[in-house]
Amino acid sequence: MDRFWSWTTFTALSLFIHSPICSSDKAPNYSFMRDATGTPTTSYYDYIIIGGGTAGCPLAATLSQNASVLLLERGGAPYNNPNITRLSAFGAALSDLSDASPSQRFVSEDGVINARARVLGGGSALNAGFYTRAGTKYVRNMGWDGGLANESYRWVEAKVAFQPPMGRWQTAVRDALLEVGIVPNNGFTYDHINGTKFGGTIFDQNGHRHTAADLLEYANPEGITVLLHATVHQILFRTRGTTKPIANGVVYRDRAGQPHRAYLKEGSFNEIIVSAGTLGSPQLLMLSGVGPSAQLQAQNITVVMDQPHVGQGMYDNPMNAVFIPSPVPVEVSLIEVVGITGEGTYVEAAGGENFGGGGGSGSSAKDYYAMFSPKATLLESNSMKLSSAQPFQGGFILEKVMGPLSTGHLELRTRNPSDNPVVTFNYFQHPDDLKRCVRGIQTIERVVQSKAFARFKYADMTFEYLLNLTASTPVNLRPPRSGPGASLPPSAEEFCQHTVTTIWHYHGGCVVGRVVDGDYKVIGIDRLRVIDMSTVGYCPGTNPQATVMMLGRYMGVKIMRERLAN
C-alpha cells in the first residue's frame, strides 16, 4: 500500500500543480500574428517588445492603439495545441522535453526542478490558473497609482478571469481553514485579504483556459505585428556621440536560424521593452552587454555598461505540499481556495480522482514523473508500478512561503539565448523563510485534523504518516534523507527542506531600484525598459499572474499618456 500511495502521491502532485488544463480550442483570428520565417530582414517600429508573455501581451495590445508595435515571441501560439488545450492531455505540456514544447525545463543549482514558458501568453498558458490581485499595501509600496491599477485589473478580468465551480472538496478545505482560525470568510473575491477566500481562475465555466494571449483581442490590428518563433539574440545600442548608451534595435532569428533586424523609428519616445520573463530578461541584458563586466568578459561579450545588479536578487517562493488520500471521491480541481494566514504563508488546495489511468493520447505515468525528475527510470528501478485499474483519489494541501526573504542569483551558461542560464535561489537560506514554512505545515496539520475535513481523510492515517508518505517521493533532486532516522516521520523543518518544490512564482534579476527605476527604465540607458516579473523583489500575493497582466496594461497606459502629452 505504501508503495502505491507513494507513487500516486508523486504523480498526482505533478498533475495538479504543474499542469496546463484546458484552453479554448478555437483560435482567435489574429490577422497580425505570423511565423517569423520569411519576414523582412529589416523593419522599423515605434515600440519593440521582447517576449509575448503575461506582461508582454497586454503591454503590446495597449501600445498598439496609438503607435506601431512589434511583439517578438520565441515560442508558438497556445491555440490548437492539444497539450495545452485539452483536459485529456492533463500534464502533457510540462512533461514534454522536446524543443517544440511550450515549456522549457530548467533545474536550479538548489536541485529543484522548474520550468519557464516558451509560448505566446507565457506562464498563463501553463499554470494552475489561480487569479487574485495584489493587496492594496503592495500596490502602494510599489508606487503604483491605485486608481489606474484597479482600472487595469478590470481591463484584464473582462477577458480572462472567472469564478471557479467550488465543489465539495474545495468547500471542505475552505470550512476547515475557517474552523482552525484563518478568518474571516471572505467568500469569492479577487482581492487579497487576510482570511479565507475562493479566488478567481482563468478557466471559464466550460473548462477552457484563457491566457494573456487573449488580451491581444484588445489590440489595434493596424498597429501591431506579432511574430512567433522569433528568438532575440541581442539588443543593439548606439554609443558614439552620446553620454550614455541608447537602445535602437534588436537582432532576432527565426526558427530556420535566419537573422533579422528590427529598429526603432526616429522619435525620442520610441523604445525597446524587454518582457522576456524572470530568466529571459536578465539573460538578454547580459547577452547584449549590460551586466556584471567580469561575467560578460568571461563569455567574450563586449561590455556596453557594467551593471553588477543584473542577475542578482533572484527569488523563488518555496512550496511544500502534503498529499491526503481520501476514502471518498474528490472532484477534479486546481487552486481555488486559499487561506491567507497573516503568518507569512498561504495555504491552498488542489484535488482530484482517478488519475491512475493517465491522461491524453500517448501519455503515461512515466511522462508525469518526468515533469518533476529527469530520472524517469526511477519509476522502474523502484518498482513503483501504477495500476490503471487502481484509482487514485485524494488531494493536496500546500503552503507557499510569502516573499521570500532568501535570495539568489543568475549567471550566463552560454551565449545562446535558447540555453538556460545558471540559476540559484537559495531556498530557506534566510531562517525566517523556514520558520514560515513550518507554520504553514502546522496549519495544514490542523486543517487535516479538523471536523470539516474529516470525511475526506482516512481516520487511521496520522499526520506523521502523511508527512512520511509525501517525503518518500522524489519531488526534487536534493539529497535524500539518510542516516538512522531516515525511516522515521520527518520533523516539519526536515519536511520543508527535503520536499521543497517550486510553485513557479520565481522573480527578480532586474529589480526596481537596482536595474530599473520606478518607471521601469533601465538605469543608465536610454529608450530601454524592462516590464515583467524580473523587476519584482517580493511576490505579489498568493499568485502573481493577475498583477503581471495588470502591470503590462498599467505601464502601457502610462507610456502612451506620456507619448500623447508630448
Side-chain angles (χ1 to χ4, degrees):
M1 176 181 175
D2 284 356
R3 278 191 170 183
F4 168 71
W5 282 118
S6 178
W7 167 238
T8 52
T9 298
F10 182 74
T11 301
L13 181 58
S14 304
L15 299 180
F16 287 132
I17 309 304
H18 296 251
S19 300
I21 305 304
C22 224
S23 173
S24 175
D25 286 327
K26 184 178 179 182
N29 184 24
Y30 288 159
S31 60
F32 47 80
M33 183 174 72
R34 61 187 66 92
D35 194 281
T37 304
T39 56
T41 56
T42 305
S43 55
Y44 298 85
Y45 297 87
D46 296 326
Y47 295 98
I48 300 171
I49 300 174
I50 304 166
T54 316
C57 286
L59 177 62
T62 302
L63 293 177
S64 72
Q65 302 303 319
N66 297 96
S68 62
V69 177
L70 174 63
L71 178 61
L72 297 168
E73 168 53 46
R74 72 188 185 117
Y79 308 106
N80 300 320
N81 181 343
N83 282 356
I84 295 177
T85 60
R86 295 182 185 175
L87 182 60
S88 60
F90 203 54
L94 285 148
S95 301
D96 183 358
L97 304 184
S98 72
D99 290 340
S101 172
S103 169
Q104 182 175 352
R105 171 178 291 172
F106 70 96
V107 181
S108 73
E109 298 301 289
D110 316 276
V112 173
I113 299 161
N114 215 316
R116 56 193 294 207
R118 183 168 50 196
V119 61
L120 190 71
S124 66
L126 301 172
N127 64 24
F130 195 60
Y131 184 97
T132 180
R133 298 181 178 188
T136 54
K137 182 179 179 181
Y138 187 95
V139 172
R140 286 196 304 269
N141 289 343
M142 291 299 293
W144 297 333
D145 175 87
L148 179 57
N150 285 335
E151 290 175 15
S152 299
Y153 275 122
R154 289 192 293 269
W155 182 88
V156 171
E157 288 154 10
K159 291 286 185 186
V160 304
F162 306 90
Q163 182 171 345
M166 297 181 279
R168 291 182 299 172
W169 193 82
Q170 290 279 348
T171 299
V173 175
R174 187 272 313 273
D175 293 344
L177 285 165
L178 294 171
E179 181 182 324
V180 303
I182 313 302
V183 293
N185 181 358
N186 293 310
F188 167 71
T189 179
Y190 296 143
D191 294 334
H192 183 84
I193 316 167
N194 279 2
T196 296
K197 72 166 189 174
F198 276 100
T201 177
I202 60 174
F203 298 105
D204 65 24
Q205 297 304 310
N206 296 316
H208 294 162
R209 177 190 290 271
H210 294 259
T211 76
D214 291 11
L215 299 175
L216 292 171
E217 293 176 14
Y218 284 121
N220 170 16
E222 304 302 317
I224 187 171
T225 298
V226 178
L227 297 184
L228 304 176
H229 303 291
T231 301
V232 177
H233 283 243
Q234 184 181 5
I235 302 167
L236 303 174
F237 299 95
R238 181 160 57 86
T239 56
R240 292 183 180 179
T242 64
T243 57
K244 56 184 177 180
I246 301 173
N248 68 343
V250 302
V251 177
Y252 67 93
R253 291 182 180 270
D254 59 35
R255 70 163 94 200
Q258 294 301 308
H260 304 257
R261 291 190 175 219
Y263 292 99
L264 294 178
K265 294 179 179 179
E266 291 296 325
S268 60
F269 286 92
N270 297 340
E271 294 179 309
I272 294 170
I273 305 173
V274 184
S275 298
T278 297
L279 268 60
S281 290
Q283 179 186 28
L284 183 58
L285 288 185
M286 291 184 192
L287 292 173
S288 304
V290 179
S293 59
Q295 188 180 154
L296 303 185
Q297 290 164 355
Q299 293 284 345
N300 294 317
I301 297 171
T302 300
V303 178
V304 174
M305 187 179 74
D306 179 21
Q307 181 22 304
H309 296 296
V310 174
Q312 300 300 305
M314 297 291 295
Y315 306 85
D316 190 21
N317 300 82
M319 189 271 283
N320 295 81
V322 180
F323 172 59
I324 320 295
S326 173
V328 297
V330 174
E331 76 271 5
V332 176
S333 62
L334 293 179
I335 307 301
E336 295 180 8
V337 67
V338 59
I340 302 174
T341 66
E343 295 183 337
T345 62
Y346 307 123
V347 177
E348 305 174 6
E353 61 181 349
N354 295 335
F355 289 104
S361 176
S363 65
S364 69
K366 184 174 177 179
D367 291 329
Y368 299 142
Y369 187 95
M371 290 166 61
F372 266 124
S373 175
K375 300 179 180 179
T377 55
L378 226 60
L379 175 60
E380 284 80 19
S381 64
N382 284 356
S383 300
M384 296 179 183
K385 304 296 185 181
L386 181 62
S387 168
S388 60
Q390 201 167 15
F392 156 78
Q393 60 186 25
F396 292 89
I397 303 179
L398 61 94
E399 64 82 31
K400 167 191 169 181
V401 173
M402 67 182 291
L405 300 175
S406 303
T407 182
H409 57 277
L410 174 151
E411 298 177 358
L412 292 178
R413 188 186 306 273
T414 71
R415 294 178 61 175
N416 186 345
S418 296
D419 291 342
N420 289 320
V422 180
V423 187
T424 304
F425 291 115
N426 291 319
Y427 298 100
F428 302 121
Q429 179 189 59
H430 196 292
D432 285 353
D433 286 341
L434 185 57
K435 291 176 183 177
R436 290 173 175 179
C437 180
V438 169
R439 288 196 291 267
I441 298 301
Q442 291 169 343
T443 299
I444 292 174
E445 179 178 10
R446 296 197 301 274
V447 166
V448 171
Q449 294 175 342
S450 68
K451 293 180 180 178
F453 194 74
R455 71 183 298 247
F456 291 104
K457 172 186 173 294
Y458 286 95
D460 60 345
M461 287 187 180
T462 66
F463 191 70
E464 289 74 20
Y465 174 85
L466 296 176
L467 287 185
N468 210 33
L469 174 66
T470 306
S472 67
T473 58
V475 296
N476 57 43
L477 301 182
R478 294 161 79 89
R481 295 174 67 211
S482 60
S487 61
L488 300 175
S491 67
E493 289 85 355
E494 289 175 322
F495 184 84
C496 288
Q497 293 275 15
H498 179 66
T499 69
V500 63
T501 61
T502 183
I503 198 167
W504 287 275
H505 298 171
Y506 54 90
H507 50 282
C510 297
V511 177
V512 170
R514 303 177 197 171
V515 177
V516 298
D517 64 17
D519 290 320
Y520 300 90
K521 295 179 179 179
V522 176
I523 298 167
I525 296 180
D526 279 346
R527 301 190 193 177
L528 182 63
R529 300 194 203 220
V530 179
I531 300 175
D532 59 20
M533 275 289 281
S534 72
T535 64
V536 172
Y538 202 90
C539 187
T542 54
N543 188 299
Q545 75 167 341
T547 300
V548 181
M549 286 189 275
M550 179 280 290
L551 180 61
R553 169 63 176 177
Y554 178 97
M555 286 306 301
V557 171
K558 286 197 67 176
I559 291 169
M560 193 51 60
R561 284 177 178 175
E562 293 173 8
R563 185 184 190 92
L564 296 177
N566 290 274

